[in-house]
């Protein structure tokens, strides 16, 4: 949800700065279908929990790994754009903490004290929301998990360092795409 808000804010700021959507097609940008498919895989986790019998721990790693391979391919295809490096840093941070914690994003235990998030906690603890887990003493790189609390964004409460890096990268990328590309080799006239 955070990334959707960041994208909307970036588009609004870009328009206020004089940017235009028509410039999106002028900057080489490849494989937009890759992150769309990656987020589709993430969205499929819930239905897969009910469709595949047995513990999700048997297959969750495969879905998450597939998701991050798709994101890595997208980042590689667009590595020529500077904002992609911020997106890559956020992706690596999130992948590191997830892959080291049984393919689940660790979530701050402070969430237990928030009645407005009781439904999220219930889904997480009953196994309906298998891609998240509460931080424990054995959680690795816990500080890269969803531990940054903020409540000024509707529908959000916790995010990770990686999420903020992704947000900054998306904001910068959209700003870049809304303006005419700068010619790296200006013509030398008038010599």
């Amino acid at each position: 949800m955070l990334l959707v808000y960041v994208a909307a804010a970036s588009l609004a700021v870009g328009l206020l700065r004089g940017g235009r959507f028509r410039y999106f097609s002028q900057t080489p940008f490849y494989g937009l279908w890759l992150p769309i498919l990656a987020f589709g895989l993430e969205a499929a986790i819930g239905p897969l929990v009910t469709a595949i019998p047995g513990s999700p721990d048997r297959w969750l790693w495969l879905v998450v790994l597939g998701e991050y391979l798709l994101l890595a391919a997208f980042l590689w295809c667009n590595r020529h754009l500077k904002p992609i490096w911020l997106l890559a840093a956020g992706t690596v941070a999130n992948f590191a903490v997830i892959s080291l914690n049984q393919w689940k994003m660790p979530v701050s235990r402070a969430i237990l004290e928030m009645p407005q998030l009781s439904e999220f906690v219930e889904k997480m603890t009953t196994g309906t929301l298998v891609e998240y887990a509460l931080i424990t003493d054995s959680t690795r790189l816990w500080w890269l998990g969803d531990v940054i609390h903020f409540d000024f964004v509707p529908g959000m409460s916790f995010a990770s360092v990686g999420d903020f890096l992704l947000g900054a990268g998306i904001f910068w990328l959209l700003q870049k795409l809304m303006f005419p590309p700068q010619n790296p080799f200006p013509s030398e006239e008038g010599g």
Side-chain angles (χ1 to χ4, degrees):
M1 187 63 82
L2 173 66
L3 302 182
V4 172
Y5 288 129
V6 168
S10 181
L11 293 173
V13 168
L15 290 171
L16 289 172
R17 292 180 54 221
R20 298 289 176 257
F21 294 125
R22 69 174 179 260
Y23 294 125
F24 276 43
S25 63
Q26 294 182 12
T27 299
F29 192 66
Y30 307 105
L32 188 57
W33 63 273
L34 291 163
I36 292 170
L37 187 56
F39 292 121
L41 271 178
E42 184 175 344
I45 292 173
L48 287 173
V49 168
T50 56
I52 300 175
S55 171
D57 292 341
R58 294 179 308 140
W59 53 263
L60 182 61
W61 69 272
L62 188 59
V63 175
V64 175
L65 186 59
E67 175 187 349
Y68 278 90
L69 286 173
L70 289 167
L71 292 174
F74 169 75
L75 295 168
W76 180 257
C77 290
N78 292 289
R79 67 190 181 281
H80 60 281
L81 299 169
K82 288 181 183 177
I84 290 295
W85 293 98
L86 264 179
L87 291 171
T91 301
V92 167
N94 282 346
F95 181 75
V97 69
I98 290 170
S99 65
L100 291 174
N101 291 287
Q102 301 173 338
W103 304 96
K104 299 176 182 186
M105 175 60 86
V107 180
S108 171
R109 295 189 73 79
I111 198 170
L112 297 172
E113 300 165 13
M114 301 177 171
Q116 69 272 26
L117 296 174
S118 60
E119 184 179 337
F120 180 87
V121 172
E122 182 181 345
K123 287 180 180 180
M124 189 172 44
T125 54
T126 60
T128 310
L129 196 59
V130 297
E131 60 269 37
Y132 294 94
L134 288 173
I135 291 176
T136 66
D137 291 339
S138 62
T139 301
R140 300 161 118 187
L141 299 179
W142 63 266
W143 47 274
L144 286 178
D146 282 348
V147 296
I148 303 170
H149 178 250
F150 60 98
D151 53 9
F152 55 87
V153 179
M156 295 293 302
S157 291
F158 288 93
S160 66
V161 170
D163 293 339
F164 278 94
L165 288 170
L166 288 167
I170 287 171
F171 191 92
W172 184 13
L173 179 62
L174 291 175
Q175 292 298 298
K176 183 172 183 57
L177 294 175
M178 290 183 76
F179 291 88
Q182 295 177 350
N183 184 358
F185 306 103
S187 60
E188 297 181 13
E189 296 178 11

